[in-house]
């Protein structure tokens, strides 16, 4: 034990001395100060860092810079072009706590990467570190924090957060940073100690593009055509790329008027190769379209002169990451945004909605579907995208008003503010104080799925006839909730799929009926031990029951629905069978008199579960067409359970209402055989009822 | 109090020989039951009015049965009355120095306090689902269970030599001599199970209290037998001196429970709340342990076991795991309601069942 402590102490002293000695030597040699830049993984982290770099380099031309990154990520493509020294370390994304093996791997890689960085820092003696987040920068930040906190060595740590909701890394390490710069004032609430509201730094070159006259972007656009610039960030977005290629056939008729510039992105992972995938898809287009494709479509993996492309674009179709949004806003371009969902705090959606509310953009939500190979992918329908693009292009006044609104969204001097704060701590303190005052605003949060479900179900139960989700939420929100609901439908956990089914029903998302029907009829068994506990199929009983309920709420009926109901009415789970009988009541005007349904309902009269028998008896009242229905219902006259007898009477009542049978003395005589006593009653709380009456007359809600 | 006074007096002089009456368990039991009833009768009305004034009302969980929502607004925390009645009559009639009394009173108060906290939280947050978290409750319950288990197996245990013996009903001799650690683990699970199952049974007007009355009655009779040298010899029970005091405790509970039932019968004017159900559960559990009749509970309290099992199977296996209902509804009393029985009918039927179970449990006095 003592040896261990001695060894650690010795190492500590040695490390400290090494750092100091190297530092002194460097100082003596008079080398200019070094700034470490860390941040990457995607362009969204790299560009703001480059903007900050430009500003530092402008003010301190003698400074040296070292960019820390990971091979084959966005920074390895972008940074070398800027003439910054790029140095690689090791890092992988934080996998969460679920799988201990992957977590251990993550920790080991992080440790190795941090050690490498720490040694580099010891040798190079950086003045400070600027990071824009992204897991790539984790080792550098860890090394800097450890050197500072444990070895008491002075390295400035400055973080920049681009999004409304901070990433895990910035959120965790923000507490040890000198300053955390934030792009949205709402984000200040996450960093009350050391946050400074600076805005999002946009590269000077992109900004300058505006002031320059019509610059040749190396893309020859035929004169008089509307230019649509479609891109999904530096890595490319699969959804956007595929949607665009799918949209080409619909845009083809307008090829004389529009020109599409497509940034496919640099992604080259196993999962998705942007260039290859896009080319594959293009090659599958009609020959006729392919022949003329070049006249209205141009694609490139990545635009280094993105400002020039923005400049000539009349409409931008993009993701709603903070970086893209700020570039669009800086240049004042109307945009069609396709937010990526499932990100922390849904920040892309929140960003996009902010733009939309300001009148600067339109939003198109992704949809989800299951590929034939079982994978679940997001997609945007090509026709939807094409029509959205065309609609916008046909309305120049809308486009120009969107452009004006976009421009007002931009805060120009973020990079200057950031470098001011780094250089002059007193200024940082002032700005921090003023930023804290702004932070009263909280991040606009969207209701959770459970909350949405609750609101909708309350609304539905109040008046099922006129129910409409648009009465509860904005049409925008309904679109977005539909998207979220659909994502849930494909979740591996049944509990979440169940919520998805309910939401799809209440949101009247009729496009997804086929998926709902698949859930009703899916017969994939669950594992053996779950079956021993009473489980049956992968789409569990609750999901099947709620699917049928959703069909009723959506009020959708066709041959497929009928077929699914036919299967559901023989389901092994009683609640599904009884819900199917209820669905028969609901769709009775389409089913009445069909022999096979009468047959099915009659079969249900012998169901082992009384609940199903009750529902079947009521259903018989809805679909029976002659005296046989009455005969069948009269067989329940002596049933031991009063609920069944009651349901049978309700059925007969319904038959009378529908004038299937006529009221006559004979019927009364036959009904005489009914046992009319009951083991249950509904209590009357006269006091409460009167109270409620008074309260409802007063027009306030009743809350005793 | 009277026990001590009576003892002092008759030991002082023969003039007070009639004070021996205060030494007899039978007399003191009856007196304890009566005084508890009287206490509850006297206090109930003002207490109910007090609860109404303070707006301490039940926050019913809506489970889709019409009656349940109409119960919203009934005052809760009637358990305070039961505990008050029991403590009052034990103060009058019990032997204060008996560790048996102290253990049971401690359990009642501890669990009553836990239930009280839970009830208060539900009322403050105006929701039946937002009481103490399940984990907080378990921790709080565990603390008592562990301390009690440690005490009962230790050297100062009131059960002396019998403390680690394990008895089964209908079997004459102890079936096993357990290791203290094993026994403490067993006690822990037992106490947790009993308290929570009584809590789960508390769902219909008068159901929990009537079924508990039968169990407490059975335990009281067992206490009388085991505390009596002649009867315990005759019926082949372990003789545990002093355990007769538990008869008085049980009698006080029965008295207080009857008094409470007066107001709790359908339609209830007051609910016992978690305060009452946990306190009664704690008392039943401790008394069973002190009388070495742990395994009698599944018989005498068969109803509680059925309620707990149906509820847990439905919730943990059915709804959370395999995604379907295994019973129509759970716990048992809601299943019966769902099958079309009115609430008072369910209560009466289930009470009859607990009565039958109590008789079966009592038959183990002789059949062994």
């Amino acid at each position: 034990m003592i040896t261990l402590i001695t060894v650690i102490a010795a190492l500590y002293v040695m490390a400290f001395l090494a750092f100091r000695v190297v530092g002194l030597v460097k100082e003596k040699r008079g080398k200019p100060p070094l700034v470490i830049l860390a941040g990457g993984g995607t362009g969204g982290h790299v560009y703001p860092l480059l903007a900050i770099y430009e500003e530092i380099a402008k003010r301190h031309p003698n400074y040296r810079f070292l960019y820390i990154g990971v091979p084959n990520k966005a920074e390895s493509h972008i940074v070398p072009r800027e003439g910054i020294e790029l140095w690689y370390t090791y890092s992988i994304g934080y996998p969460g706590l679920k799988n201990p093996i992957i977590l251990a791997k993550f920790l080991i890689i992080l440790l190795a990467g941090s050690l490498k960085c720490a040694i580099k820092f010891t040798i190079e003696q950086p003045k400070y570190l600027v990071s824009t987040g992204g897991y790539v920068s984790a080792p550098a930040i860890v090394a800097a924090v450890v050197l500072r906190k444990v070895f008491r060595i002075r390295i400035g740590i400055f973080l920049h957060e681009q999004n409304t909701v901070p990433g895990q890394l910035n959120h965790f390490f923000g507490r040890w940073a000198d300053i955390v710069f934030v792009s949205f004032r709402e984000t200040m609430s996450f960093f009350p100690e050391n946050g400074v509201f600076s805005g999002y730094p946009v590269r000077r070159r992109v900004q300058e593009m505006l002031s320059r006259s019509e610059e040749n972007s190396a893309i020859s656009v035929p004169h008089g055509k509307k230019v649509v610039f479609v891109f999904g960030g530096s890595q490319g977005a699969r959804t956007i790329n595929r949607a665009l290629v799918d949209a080409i056939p619909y845009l083809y008729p307008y090829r004389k008027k529009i020109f599409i510039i497509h940034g496919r992105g640099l992604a080259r992972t196993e999962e998705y190769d942007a260039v290859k995938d896009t080319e594959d898809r293009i090659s599958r287009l009609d020959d006729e379209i392919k022949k003329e494709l070049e006249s209205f479509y141009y694609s490139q993996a990545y635009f280094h002169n993105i400002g020039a492309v923005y400049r000539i674009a009349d409409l931008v179709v993009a993701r709603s990451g903070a970086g893209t949004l700020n570039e669009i806003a800086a240049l004042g371009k109307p945009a069609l945004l396709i937010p990526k969902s499932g990100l922390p705090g849904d920040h892309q959606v929140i960003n996009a909605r902010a733009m939309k509310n300001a009148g600067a953009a339109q939003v198109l939500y992704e949809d989800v579907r299951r590929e034939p190979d079982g994978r679940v992918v997001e997609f945007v329908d090509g026709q939807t995208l094409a029509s959205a693009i065309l609609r916008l292009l046909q309305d120049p006044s809308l486009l120009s008003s969107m452009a004006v609104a976009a421009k007002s969204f931009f805060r120009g001097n973020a990079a200057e503010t950031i470098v001011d704060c780094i250089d002059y701590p007193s200024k940082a303190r002032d700005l921090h104080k003023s930023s804290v005052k702004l932070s009263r605003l909280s991040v606009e949060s969207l209701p959770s799925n459970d909350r949405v479900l609750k609101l909708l179900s309350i609304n539905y139960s109040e008046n099922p006839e006129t129910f409409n989700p648009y009465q509860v939420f904005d049409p925008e929100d309904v679109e977005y909730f539909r998207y979220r609901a659909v994502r849930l439908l494909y979740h591996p956990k049944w509990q979440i799929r169940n919520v998805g089914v309910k939401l799809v029903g209440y949101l009247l998302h009729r496009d997804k009926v086929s998926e709902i029907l698949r859930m009703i009829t899916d017969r994939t068994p669950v594992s053996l031990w779950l079956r021993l506990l009473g489980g049956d199929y992968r789409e569990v009983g609750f999901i099947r029951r709620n699917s049928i309920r959703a069909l009723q709420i959506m009020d959708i009926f066709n041959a497929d629905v009928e077929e699914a109901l036919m299967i559901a009415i023989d389901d092994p789970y009683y609640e599904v069978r009884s819900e199917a009988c209820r669905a028969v009541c609901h769709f009775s005007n389409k089913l009445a008199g069909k022999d096979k349904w009468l047959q099915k309902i009659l079969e249900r009269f012998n169901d082992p579960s009384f609940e199903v028998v009750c529902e079947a008896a009521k259903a018989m009242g809805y679909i029976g067409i002659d005296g046989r229905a009455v005969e069948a219902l009269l067989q329940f006259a002596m049933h031991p359970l009063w609920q069944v007898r009651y349901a049978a009477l309700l059925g007969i009542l319904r038959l009378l209402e529908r004038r299937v049978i006529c009221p006559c003395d004979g019927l009364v005589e036959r009904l005489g055989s009914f046992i009319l006593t009951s083991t249950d009653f509904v209590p009357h709380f006269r006091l409460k009822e009167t109270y409620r009456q008074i309260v409802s007359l007063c027009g306030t809600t009743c809350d005793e | 109090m009277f026990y001590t006074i009576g003892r002092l007096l008759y030991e002082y002089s023969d003039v007070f020989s009639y004070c021996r009456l205060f030494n007899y368990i039978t007399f003191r039991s009856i007196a304890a039951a009566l005084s508890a009833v009287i206490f509850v009768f006297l206090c109930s009305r003002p207490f109910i009015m007090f609860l109404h004034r303070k707006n301490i009302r039940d926050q019913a969980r809506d489970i889709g049965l019409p009656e349940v929502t109409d119960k919203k607004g009934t005052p809760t925390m009637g358990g305070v009355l039961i505990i008050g009645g029991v403590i009052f009559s034990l103060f009058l009639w019990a032997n204060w120095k008996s560790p048996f009394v102290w253990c049971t009173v401690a359990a009642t108060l501890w669990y009553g306090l836990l239930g009280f906290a839970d009830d208060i939280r539900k009322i403050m947050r105006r929701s039946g689902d937002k009481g103490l978290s399940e984990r907080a409750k378990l921790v709080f319950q565990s603390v008592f269970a562990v301390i009690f288990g440690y005490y009962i197996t230790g050297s100062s245990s009131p059960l002396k030599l019998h403390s680690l013996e394990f008895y089964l009903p209908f079997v004459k001799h102890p079936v096993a001599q357990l290791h203290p650690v094993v026994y403490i683990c067993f006690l822990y699970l037992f106490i947790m199970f009993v308290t929570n199952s009584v809590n789960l049974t508390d769902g219909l007007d008068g159901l929990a209290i009537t079924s508990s009355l039968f169990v407490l009655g059975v335990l009281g009779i067992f206490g009388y037998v085991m505390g009596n040298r002649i009867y315990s010899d005759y019926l082949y029970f372990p003789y545990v001196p002093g355990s007769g005091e538990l008869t008085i405790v049980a009698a006080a509970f029965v008295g207080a429970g009857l008094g409470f039932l007066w107001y709790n019968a359908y339609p209830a004017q007051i609910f016992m709340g978690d305060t009452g159900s946990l306190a009664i559960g704690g008392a039943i559990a401790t008394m069973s342990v002190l009388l070495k009749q742990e395994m009698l509970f599944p018989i005498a309290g068969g109803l509680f076991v059925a309620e707990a099992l149906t509820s847990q199977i439905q919730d943990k296996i059915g709804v959370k795991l395999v995604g379907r209902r295994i019973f129509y509804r759970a716990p048992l009393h809601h299943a019966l309601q769902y099958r079309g029985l009115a609430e008072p009918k369910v209560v009466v039927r289930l009470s009859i069942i607990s009565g039958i179970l109590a008789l079966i449990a009592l038959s183990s006095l002789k059949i062994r």
Side-chain angles (χ1 to χ4, degrees):
Chain A
M1 193 66 196
I2 293 166
T3 6
L4 195 70
I5 292 169
T6 330
V7 169
I8 290 170
L11 279 176
Y12 184 97
V13 172
M14 274 163 65
F16 185 78
L17 285 178
F19 195 90
R20 275 295 142 94
V21 168
V22 174
L24 284 174
V25 171
K26 292 252 158 166
E27 220 167 274
K28 243 185 186 170
R29 280 197 200 156
K31 269 211 165 185
L34 176 77
V35 174
I36 301 283
L37 305 170
T42 61
H45 293 298
V46 179
Y47 293 128
L49 189 53
L50 289 180
I52 299 171
Y53 151 76
E54 280 173 3
E55 186 63 29
I56 300 173
K58 192 182 117 196
R59 292 197 196 179
H60 310 283
N62 61 327
Y63 277 21
R64 294 175 302 132
F65 294 90
L66 180 70
Y67 200 109
I68 296 183
V70 164
N72 293 325
K73 283 284 165 187
E75 62 272 16
S76 63
H77 301 280
I78 304 164
V79 173
R81 300 181 62 92
E82 305 291 329
I84 313 172
E85 192 189 341
L86 184 61
W87 185 79
Y88 291 128
T89 180
Y90 322 108
S91 185
I92 59 168
Y94 176 62
L97 296 169
K98 277 197 181 144
N99 188 333
I101 297 169
I102 299 179
L103 186 67
K105 186 184 161 196
F106 162 77
L107 287 175
I108 289 168
I109 291 180
L110 180 65
L111 197 69
S114 309
L115 206 62
K116 197 175 168 188
C117 285
I119 293 168
K120 185 79 176 173
F121 290 174
T122 312
I123 297 166
E124 295 286 348
Q125 301 280 314
K127 187 175 166 70
Y128 53 82
L129 165 97
V130 184
S131 166
T132 46
Y135 70 85
V136 166
S137 60
I141 299 178
V142 170
V145 168
V146 168
L147 285 178
R148 214 164 100 146
K149 286 283 150 191
V150 181
F151 295 96
R152 301 272 155 207
I153 286 158
R154 284 166 54 97
I155 300 177
I157 300 175
F158 301 97
L159 304 182
H160 181 268
E161 175 55 53
Q162 298 90 50
N163 283 301
T164 42
V165 184
Q168 284 166 324
L169 187 79
N170 279 354
H171 198 183
F172 185 75
F173 286 106
R175 67 195 80 178
W176 292 301
D178 288 302
I179 304 172
V180 183
F181 299 102
V182 298
S183 310
F184 294 85
R185 36 180 92 116
E186 291 93 329
T187 321
M188 280 299 295
S189 56
F190 292 95
F191 306 106
E193 297 297 319
N194 52 0
V196 167
F197 169 50
S198 66
Y200 183 95
V202 177
R203 276 172 302 164
R204 184 169 303 278
R205 189 143 23 110
V206 178
Q207 266 173 291
E208 279 170 3
M209 285 301 162
L210 258 190
S211 54
R212 284 194 216 165
S213 59
E214 199 84 14
E215 183 184 296
N216 189 357
S217 56
I219 306 165
S220 56
V221 180
H223 188 70
K225 278 194 174 186
K226 296 274 190 190
V227 178
V228 185
F229 178 33
V230 184
F231 79 114
S234 65
Q235 294 302 290
R238 182 173 56 189
T239 313
I240 293 182
N241 288 348
R242 290 185 178 174
L244 180 63
V245 178
D246 291 345
I248 285 175
Y250 301 100
L251 296 170
Y252 174 71
Y254 302 89
R255 62 191 178 280
K256 296 276 188 299
K257 290 182 197 148
I258 60 173
F259 190 83
I260 302 158
I261 302 174
H262 182 193
R264 287 166 310 195
L266 300 163
R268 239 196 201 145
T269 57
E270 272 173 44
E271 203 186 335
Y272 181 65
D273 184 327
V275 175
K276 195 166 159 292
D277 186 79
T278 310
E279 271 165 12
D280 277 359
R281 274 157 196 272
I282 288 176
S283 69
R284 264 182 264 151
L285 293 170
D286 282 351
D287 285 338
E288 197 187 333
I289 298 175
K290 265 193 279 183
K291 229 188 308 171
E292 296 221 27
L293 191 62
E294 277 184 16
S295 71
F296 72 103
Y297 174 85
Y298 174 83
S299 88
Q300 193 172 318
Y302 181 76
F303 295 97
H304 290 287
N305 53 348
I306 196 162
V309 184
Y310 272 132
R311 177 79 188 128
I312 57 170
D314 294 291
L315 174 67
V316 181
V317 179
R319 285 290 194 209
S320 54
T324 313
L325 283 193
N326 270 281
E327 292 183 348
I328 292 170
L331 292 147
K333 288 290 166 188
L336 178 62
L337 300 173
I338 304 179
K340 184 176 170 65
S341 268
L343 298 173
D346 266 343
H347 61 249
Q348 284 216 350
V349 174
I350 293 176
N351 295 347
R353 286 161 54 93
M355 289 285 271
K356 161 107 194 177
N357 290 342
Q362 300 232 325
V363 184
L364 204 61
Y365 291 110
E366 295 173 331
D367 200 345
V368 186
R369 72 174 160 217
R370 196 189 298 274
E371 296 279 283
D373 61 358
R375 275 183 312 146
V376 175
V377 291
E378 290 92 359
F379 75 101
V380 170
D381 185 43
Q383 194 177 358
T384 318
L385 177 64
S387 61
I389 291 173
L390 291 170
R391 202 174 50 239
L392 281 170
L393 287 183
Q394 277 157 8
D395 194 346
S397 63
L398 177 63
L399 281 185
S400 57
S401 74
M402 281 166 78
V404 173
K407 193 88 178 109
S408 68
F409 229 76
F410 179 63
R411 313 190 135 261
N413 53 356
E416 284 90 335
T417 314
I418 290 170
V419 180
D420 274 351
C421 290
I422 293 176
D423 286 348
Y424 311 108
S426 61
K427 174 149 193 201
R429 272 194 295 278
D430 294 345
L431 269 177
H432 168 69
K433 273 177 205 150
S434 59
S435 308
V436 168
K437 277 183 202 144
L438 290 171
S439 71
R440 297 282 144 72
L441 289 159
S442 62
V443 177
E444 179 212 8
S445 60
L446 290 157
S448 69
N449 288 323
D450 288 340
R451 177 100 190 114
V452 173
L453 191 59
K454 201 174 169 195
L455 288 172
L456 287 171
S457 63
I458 289 171
N459 209 276
Y460 180 78
S461 60
E462 274 169 9
N463 197 348
E465 297 296 316
T466 61
F467 170 76
N468 193 343
Y470 294 108
Q471 293 165 344
V472 190
F473 299 110
D474 289 344
E476 301 288 305
D477 290 351
V478 171
E479 284 302 309
Y480 173 59
F481 294 144
R482 278 183 183 169
Y483 165 70
R484 282 211 310 215
V486 171
R487 275 176 73 91
L488 301 184
L489 281 185
Y490 299 94
H491 201 276
K493 275 188 159 175
W494 69 258
Q495 287 89 343
I496 294 176
R497 287 203 303 278
N498 191 21
V499 176
V501 167
K502 289 190 212 168
L503 273 175
V504 165
Y506 280 123
L507 292 166
L508 307 184
H509 195 4
R510 298 198 172 90
D511 296 353
K512 286 288 154 186
V513 166
S514 60
E515 186 61 26
I516 298 273
L517 294 180
R518 186 195 66 72
M519 286 183 155
I520 297 173
T521 53
D522 188 30
R523 288 291 181 263
T524 323
V526 286
S527 62
L528 181 64
W529 71 277
L530 278 181
R531 260 177 289 157
L532 287 176
L533 289 174
D536 38 29
Y537 305 126
R538 189 174 165 275
E539 308 300 347
V540 300
F542 284 161
I543 293 185
R544 301 201 297 274
R545 180 197 66 191
N546 292 332
S547 299
I548 301 173
R549 202 168 284 168
L551 288 178
Q552 295 173 54
I553 295 167
M554 291 194 276
D555 201 16
I556 190 164
F557 190 84
N558 54 36
D560 292 339
V561 173
E562 189 177 346
E563 202 178 316
L565 285 181
M566 211 62 171
I567 294 170
I569 209 162
D570 289 325
D571 197 277
Y573 179 43
Y574 73 92
E575 281 196 304
V576 179
R577 296 197 299 270
S578 61
E579 195 62 48
C581 290
R582 250 170 254 148
V584 170
C585 292
H586 188 93
F587 299 120
S588 57
N589 52 351
K590 279 129 185 162
L591 296 173
K594 283 195 183 172
D595 265 348
K596 60 175 178 181
W597 278 105
L598 289 170
Q599 199 56 43
K600 275 283 175 215
I601 293 292
L602 275 178
E603 278 173 29
R604 284 302 124 224
F605 278 14
N606 302 318
D607 199 277
S609 162
F610 78 94
E611 192 183 307
V612 182
V613 179
C614 289
E615 294 303 328
K618 285 181 208 160
M620 185 49 99
Y622 279 83
I623 64 165
I625 41 159
D626 50 28
R628 283 177 303 165
V630 186
E631 295 303 318
L633 288 173
L634 280 171
Q635 79 183 50
F636 291 128
M638 311 282 268
H639 199 279
L641 282 170
W642 70 268
Q643 288 116 313
V644 177
R645 302 197 298 269
Y646 173 57
L649 283 179
L650 283 178
I652 293 172
L653 182 65
R654 183 71 201 150
L655 285 174
L656 280 168
E657 281 169 0
R658 287 172 53 226
R659 298 175 189 286
V660 171
I661 49 171
C662 51
C664 58
D665 290 345
L667 183 63
V668 175
E669 207 173 290
R670 311 253 345 241
L671 287 177
S673 60
F674 260 86
I675 301 177
L676 293 179
T677 58
S678 146
T679 53
D680 201 3
F681 61 98
V682 180
H684 258 280
F685 297 94
R686 275 175 287 182
L687 191 62
K688 275 190 180 179
E689 279 162 19
T690 318
Y691 174 78
R692 271 179 206 151
Q693 255 175 342
I694 294 169
V695 169
S696 70
L697 280 178
C698 296
T700 51
T701 47
C702 170
D703 186 25
E704 319 95 304
Chain B
M1 183 168 71
F2 289 119
Y3 175 79
T4 326
I5 295 171
R7 209 183 172 104
L8 280 175
L9 287 178
Y10 76 71
E11 277 172 6
Y12 172 69
S13 151
D14 279 351
V15 181
F16 296 112
S17 65
Y18 57 87
C19 282
R20 266 176 209 280
L21 193 59
F22 295 131
N23 210 10
Y24 294 120
I25 284 168
T26 38
F27 172 74
R28 280 195 289 144
S29 306
I30 292 164
L34 289 177
S35 49
V37 172
I38 291 165
F39 177 89
V40 176
F41 276 173
L42 288 178
C43 296
S44 282
R45 265 170 195 287
F47 185 67
I48 293 171
M49 283 305 134
F50 168 78
L51 292 178
H52 270 298
R53 265 201 301 281
K54 291 282 166 194
N55 225 1
I56 297 175
R57 294 174 183 190
D58 186 50
Q59 311 292 326
R61 190 176 303 173
D62 190 355
I63 54 163
L65 296 164
E67 290 91 327
V68 173
T69 42
D70 265 309
K71 283 183 180 171
K72 200 173 143 197
T74 310
T76 185
M77 296 211 306
V80 174
L81 272 181
I82 301 176
I83 298 173
V86 169
I87 302 278
F88 171 74
S89 78
L90 288 183
F91 170 75
L92 291 184
W93 301 105
N95 174 8
W96 297 352
K97 288 177 186 157
S98 162
F100 292 96
V101 174
W102 277 116
C103 283
T104 326
V105 168
T108 311
L109 285 179
W110 182 274
Y111 284 98
L113 200 66
L114 169 65
F116 188 81
D118 193 28
D119 281 336
I120 284 285
R121 222 172 142 94
K122 279 182 196 166
I123 291 156
M124 303 279 264
R125 298 190 181 182
R126 302 225 151 264
S127 157
D129 293 323
K130 287 183 183 161
L132 292 176
S133 71
E134 211 160 292
R135 191 177 299 168
K137 274 195 204 169
L138 279 183
V139 168
F140 204 81
Q141 293 177 342
S142 309
V143 170
F144 181 83
V146 169
I147 294 174
F148 179 65
Y150 188 74
Y151 171 67
I152 209 75
T153 51
S155 53
S156 55
S157 162
L159 295 172
K160 310 263 160 34
L161 295 173
H162 302 296
S163 66
L164 291 172
E165 285 169 358
F166 186 69
Y167 286 87
L168 284 180
F170 302 110
V171 179
K172 221 176 276 178
H173 302 292
V175 289
Q177 189 79 23
L178 295 177
H179 189 272
V181 176
V182 177
Y183 190 59
I184 288 179
C185 291
F186 168 73
L187 281 189
Y188 173 79
L189 293 176
F190 176 74
I191 294 174
M192 303 292 272
F193 180 79
V194 174
T195 47
N196 288 306
S197 62
V198 176
N199 192 6
L200 286 170
T201 309
D202 180 28
L204 297 182
D205 297 351
L207 177 62
I209 194 71
T210 33
S211 348
S212 322
L213 288 184
F214 284 113
V215 180
L216 285 161
V218 169
L219 287 173
I221 293 171
F222 272 79
Y224 186 69
V225 168
M226 284 173 66
N228 186 307
R229 190 187 293 275
I230 301 163
Y231 286 146
S232 60
D233 267 5
Y234 170 62
L235 294 168
Y236 295 103
F237 268 88
Y239 171 57
V240 184
S243 69
E245 287 300 315
L246 286 178
T247 311
I248 294 154
V249 178
F253 262 103
V254 169
L258 283 174
F260 179 73
L261 184 59
W262 187 273
Y263 296 95
N264 185 230
Y266 182 87
Q269 287 157 278
I270 185 168
F271 294 149
M272 67 164 77
D274 284 354
T275 320
S277 60
L278 285 176
I280 292 176
I284 290 179
T286 11
M287 285 167 78
S288 306
V289 172
L290 289 169
L291 293 170
K292 306 303 307 167
Q293 297 299 332
E294 296 94 346
M295 295 318 283
L296 194 72
F297 180 78
I299 301 172
L303 182 68
F304 296 118
V305 177
E307 295 268 356
L309 286 185
T310 46
S311 150
Q312 290 305 305
I313 289 173
Q314 178 88 322
D315 186 47
K316 295 283 163 0
I317 295 179
V319 174
K320 295 233 170 84
L321 192 64
V322 298
R324 56 168 292 171
R325 288 204 168 103
I326 290 173
F327 308 103
Y328 281 124
R329 291 289 183 275
L332 184 62
H333 54 260
H334 285 322
L336 290 174
Q337 271 189 301
Y338 188 75
R339 298 248 341 165
L341 295 186
E343 186 179 337
K345 209 174 184 70
V346 175
V347 174
V348 170
R349 285 195 176 168
L350 289 182
S351 307
I352 292 171
I353 289 173
S354 6
I356 295 169
L357 288 169
L359 286 181
I360 295 172
L362 273 184
S363 71
S364 77
L365 275 176
K366 187 62 197 158
I367 308 171
R368 46 201 284 130

